[in-house]
Amino acid sequence: QVQLVESGGGLVQPGGSLRLSCAASGIFFRINAMGWFRQAPGKPRELVALMSSSGSTDYADSVKGRFTISRDNAKNSVYLQMNSLKPEDTAVYYCNIRPSGWPFANDYWGQGTQVTVSS
């Protein structure tokens, strides 16, 4: 059974840093991409950072230069290093894995981890 577990969220002051982790288990299929999404109350879910199976990355304009996505294939884990955090970054962050069979295969999502940036 596929399971994605996020960790590393919490409360941080503006300008601070957090490192989110996503540990995946039960992955027995080819992965098209792994990424991080976030959703704040009253706002649509948005892509924060994406890493394709080839290792290429993409970031939302709002986080470029501040966030870095990385992965450890041996551990089936993906990480998001968040620096220079702003109050606007406050949201629930979700790890996502997209199978290569998408859209015929469904994405997998973690339970989410809350990131709150406030003084």
Side-chain angles (χ1 to χ4, degrees), residues 6-77:
E6 298 108 331
S7 62
L11 175 64
V12 65
Q13 294 186 9
S17 298
L18 285 174
R19 181 176 173 86
L20 305 184
S21 299
C22 175
S25 61
I27 305 298
F28 300 107
F29 49 81
R30 299 190 69 176
I31 296 174
N32 176 267
M34 305 178 71
W36 290 92
F37 292 73
R38 68 185 181 187
Q39 186 167 26
K43 295 184 178 181
R45 182 167 53 190
E46 65 173 346
L47 174 68
V48 176
L50 178 70
M51 178 172 284
S52 72
S53 59
S54 66
S56 62
T57 59
D58 193 20
Y59 297 91
D61 288 341
S62 60
V63 308
K64 285 183 178 178
R66 300 189 296 119
F67 290 10
T68 303
I69 187 171
S70 61
R71 68 185 181 190
D72 186 333
N73 290 336
K75 297 181 178 180
N76 284 328
S77 297

Side-chain angles (χ1 to χ4, degrees), residues 66-119:
R66 300 189 296 119
F67 290 10
T68 303
I69 187 171
S70 61
R71 68 185 181 190
D72 186 333
N73 290 336
K75 297 181 178 180
N76 284 328
S77 297
V78 61
Y79 309 93
L80 185 67
Q81 179 66 45
M82 304 185 294
N83 298 325
S84 302
L85 283 162
K86 305 174 181 179
E88 305 92 270
D89 297 318
T90 296
V92 177
Y93 285 70
Y94 298 91
C95 177
N96 168 266
I97 294 179
R98 172 160 288 180
S100 61
W102 183 90
F104 301 101
N106 293 329
D107 283 10
Y108 293 94
W109 297 87
Q111 83 286 353
T113 185
Q114 177 71 48
V115 172
T116 302
V117 184
S118 176
S119 60

